[in-house]
Amino acid sequence: MKLLPLLEVLFANAVLIALLLWMTGDYGYRTAYWGPEGFTPTTVRYPLFLITSAVKGSTSIPGLLTVDWQQIVLVLLVVTDAVYAYAVLHARKPLL
């Protein structure tokens, strides 16, 4: 049983999941910022991009198209696990 590849993918997953949780909290703080100001925040998500804007009555603060890092990290997480699963399933010598 080769333990090193499994430890490598577990470490990579731990780092990527920690980044994902950190970014999710940051996005939550950004959304919560507009509440005390009386604005209603809206976020429109596209594949790998997002636009966050705010509205208060007739006042609108338009957002800019930005990279959605949550989606990027999720893609990295899925690719990391897929490459590991492919390597395990197609190895000449079984890893487990």
Side-chain angles (χ1 to χ4, degrees):
M1 174 177 174
K2 291 187 179 182
L3 190 59
L4 187 59
L6 178 62
L7 292 176
E8 287 174 346
V9 79
L10 288 177
F11 179 75
N13 281 344
V15 169
L16 290 172
I17 289 171
L19 278 172
L20 184 64
L21 292 174
W22 179 50
M23 282 182 247
T24 301
D26 184 50
Y27 286 174
Y29 296 140
R30 289 182 192 189
T31 303
Y33 169 79
W34 295 106
E37 301 295 326
F39 284 87
T40 303
T42 58
T43 300
V44 179
R45 292 186 183 265
Y46 299 102
L48 304 180
F49 294 99
L50 63 83
I51 298 174
T52 303
S53 57
V55 177
K56 177 181 177 182
S58 63
T59 305
S60 176
I61 300 174
L64 299 173
L65 183 67
T66 58
V67 175
D68 188 353
W69 290 105
Q70 281 181 318
Q71 291 182 28
I72 302 249
V73 169
L74 281 174
V75 167
L76 288 174
L77 191 61
V78 168
V79 167
T80 300
D81 291 345
V83 167
Y84 177 73
Y86 179 81
V88 167
L89 294 174
H90 291 90
R92 291 182 189 169
K93 297 178 184 177
L95 294 177
L96 301 175

